[in-house]
Amino acid sequence: MIIQEVTSPGGIKAWLVESHANPLIAIRFAFRGGASQDAPRKEGVAYFVTAMMDEGAGDLDATAFQEREQELAMRMDIDAGRDVMLGTVQTLTENKDEVFELVRLVLSQPRFDEDAMERVRAQILAGLKFDENDPETVASLAWDKLAFRDHPYGRRKAPPPSMAAITRDDLRDYVKRVFARDKLSISVVGDIDAEALGKALDTMFGDLPEHSDLVTVAEAKLPTGPTREVIVMDVPQSVAQFGHTGIGRQDDDFIPAYVLNYIIGGGGFSSRLMEEVREKRGLAYSVYSNLYPYQHAAVFIGHVATKNEAVGQSLAVIEEELQRLAEQGPSAEELESAKAYLTGAYALRFESSSSIASQLLWIQIEDLGIDYVTRRNELVEAVTLDDIKRVAKRMLAGDSLITTIVGKPVEPADVTSVGAPG
């Protein structure tokens, strides 16, 4: 796979992988900013903006715009993450020029018509109401609030009170501040060459402001724990989210931490937590963990779902296993097995044009370098047992977990507060 860096006549850069086997083009782009750019008491603006992106642009109202999308057989989505606004565009080669023009209109001339806003607002509020009865969503939101507190990461992406108050001017202001070329990353894969892409980049993104106007977001500092909160919900099975500070993407220890997480809870049935909680004791159907290296905080987070009577025991086993790994580290056999899987499975991330474009975009967002694809497996292979043990001592603390439990758990140990959905 050859990755080209393309610069448009207007100075807009993108990474391109040419592939002419199929008449398809996949585009991924991102603006730095995301939901962390929502103003206090205006939480949900970023999320609302993404929901409005196919509701009309330029001279096309919502109905006309969506009909045009269907005629062109194009796919376009924009999603709000904590730190970035992510865009997806897929088109047939024969329709590319018309699709590029629609993308231009969406990004530079969104309409935000009042009737469309009220319809979409109602849809969002209905979805938020549904989320209030989903244990996993409630546990995740409560964990964010407990861990990040007043930091933007601790806010709900779209709390109902602020969603009801968001105006057309709020949406316009967000787009004006965030959708700009200086915080833009783009990857393109498919049936297009560098010269044609250069022109397309100027068409799609050339009308955007040169500079963004982002508010400064502070680094988040998580409490040292342990902290535990129960949200009572009348369900037969409880879910729990647990975690604490992790290791950032630019940290030299990130790759060892990534391998370590596979051993802990990222490796499915081969992981320590699955073996100890499910296989040996039959306490839970699912238990897993992940690393989330956000721009302003890195966290290690795990999840477990179990019957209400087994919550306390499940969490006790998880805490003990994390503490054991922190003190002893994994075995040499576990390390070699993890490295073999992670290096062998890496190619599966590049099976389609869309997946390649997504991988290349995140490599840009995380500033890993255009050669990262060729270096990545070498970095994993280079992880030693001493590295893993050092990082385990640094990252894991079974006695300092921030934990949220949703359900009706029976005697969950060390509960510090009990709440209810809201």
Side-chain angles (χ1 to χ4, degrees):
M1 181 173 69
I2 299 173
I3 306 170
Q4 305 175 62
E5 183 172 73
V6 175
T7 302
S8 75
I12 300 170
K13 296 183 181 297
W15 288 3
L16 168 65
V17 174
E18 283 190 54
S19 176
H20 302 288
N22 296 301
L24 300 170
I25 302 170
I27 302 168
R28 299 290 185 273
F29 60 89
F31 298 102
R32 280 18 173 230
S36 62
Q37 291 298 307
D38 286 350
R41 295 179 298 280
K42 289 290 186 179
E43 294 91 346
V45 170
Y47 185 62
F48 206 159
V49 165
T50 64
M52 290 294 298
M53 287 287 93
D54 66 345
E55 295 290 337
D59 294 332
L60 302 174
D61 65 11
T63 300
F65 185 90
Q66 290 163 14
E67 288 176 350
R68 189 63 178 144
E69 280 186 299
Q70 293 178 0
E71 290 169 2
L72 295 172
M74 68 177 287
R75 176 189 171 191
M76 181 174 60
D77 295 300
I78 299 181
D79 297 309
R82 277 195 164 100
D83 301 312
V84 291
M85 298 288 278
L86 296 167
T88 297
V89 178
Q90 291 177 217
T91 178
L92 298 169
T93 307
E94 63 182 304
N95 296 334
K96 67 181 188 302
D97 292 336
E98 294 94 333
V99 168
F100 297 158
E101 174 62 17
L102 274 189
V103 174
R104 181 187 74 82
L105 291 176
V106 166
L107 297 179
S108 60
Q109 299 180 38
R111 289 172 64 103
F112 301 137
D113 292 332
E114 293 289 352
D115 59 338
M117 278 190 63
E118 294 313 309
R119 174 169 42 79
V120 171
R121 193 197 310 270
Q123 294 169 353
I124 293 173
L125 290 172
L128 295 174
K129 189 68 176 177
F130 178 84
D131 287 346
E132 291 177 1
N133 297 304
D134 178 63
E136 291 191 7
T137 301
V138 173
S140 178
L141 291 171
W143 195 93
D144 289 346
K145 185 63 178 175
L146 203 58
F148 297 119
R149 294 163 290 181
D150 294 331
H151 190 275
Y153 289 174
R155 305 171 186 164
R156 291 184 64 177
K157 67 177 181 181
S162 63
M163 280 300 306
I166 290 172
T167 68
R168 187 184 192 188
D169 286 342
D170 293 326
L171 303 187
R172 286 176 166 173
D173 176 69
Y174 184 94
V175 168
K176 182 180 178 181
R177 292 190 301 107
V178 176
F179 287 17
R181 286 178 282 158
D182 64 332
K183 300 296 183 182
L184 173 63
S185 297
I186 309 164
S187 63
V188 181
V189 178
D191 188 23
I192 190 170
D193 61 26
E195 182 179 0
L197 176 58
K199 296 175 182 177
L201 293 174
D202 284 343
T203 296
M204 290 185 284
F205 305 103
D207 288 350
L208 296 174
E210 183 175 353
H211 298 289
S212 57
D213 184 20
L214 303 183
V215 299
T216 300
V217 178
E219 295 301 305
K221 294 183 179 180
L222 278 66
T224 56
T227 306
R228 186 171 291 186
E229 180 179 11
V230 174
I231 296 101
V232 176
M233 185 178 288
D234 191 12
V235 289
Q237 178 173 273
S238 292
V239 299
Q241 179 165 311
F242 56 88
H244 50 50
T245 299
I247 291 178
R249 193 63 184 85
Q250 294 298 323
D251 193 299
D252 290 341
D253 279 339
F254 179 81
I255 293 294
Y258 177 73
V259 178
L260 175 62
N261 177 70
Y262 178 87
I263 295 169
I264 296 167
F269 283 96
S270 65
S271 70
R272 280 278 193 104
L273 294 185
M274 186 68 85
E275 179 182 359
E276 295 296 329
V277 177
R278 172 173 167 160
E279 298 302 307
K280 287 186 177 180
R281 296 172 175 84
L283 294 173
Y285 178 76
S286 67
V287 57
Y288 58 93
S289 65
N290 282 301
L291 290 175
Y292 295 95
Y294 301 121
Q295 185 175 349
H296 302 289
V299 291
F300 164 75
I301 292 177
H303 299 259
V304 63
T306 183
K307 55 187 177 181
N308 288 323
E309 311 85 75
V311 175
Q313 187 181 357
S314 297
L315 289 171
V317 171
I318 290 167
E319 291 168 358
E320 291 169 6
E321 197 56 37
L322 293 178
Q323 202 62 39
R324 185 179 295 112
L325 278 165
E327 294 169 358
Q328 302 173 9
S331 68
E333 292 77 14
E334 286 175 310
L335 173 59
E336 291 308 310
S337 177
K339 292 198 296 186
Y341 176 84
L342 292 172
T343 54
Y346 189 54
L348 299 178
R349 300 187 186 184
F350 301 89
E351 288 189 314
S352 67
S353 296
S354 297
S355 61
I356 294 170
S358 293
Q359 287 295 312
L360 297 186
L361 181 65
W362 277 105
I363 291 170
Q364 292 180 72
I365 291 170
E366 294 173 341
D367 195 25
L368 301 178
I370 199 168
D371 63 340
Y372 180 77
V373 173
T374 60
R375 293 187 296 109
R376 186 270 192 182
N377 277 357
E378 295 175 3
L379 295 172
V380 173
E381 288 284 7
V383 175
T384 67
L385 193 58
D386 286 342
D387 292 331
I388 284 284
K389 290 181 175 181
R390 182 189 71 253
V391 172
K393 289 182 184 295
R394 175 184 171 189
M395 186 176 81
L396 300 179
D399 59 350
S400 298
L401 292 177
I402 302 165
T403 306
T404 53
I405 304 165
V406 177
K408 297 185 74 174
V410 178
E411 297 182 358
D414 300 320
V415 173
T416 57
S417 60
V418 177

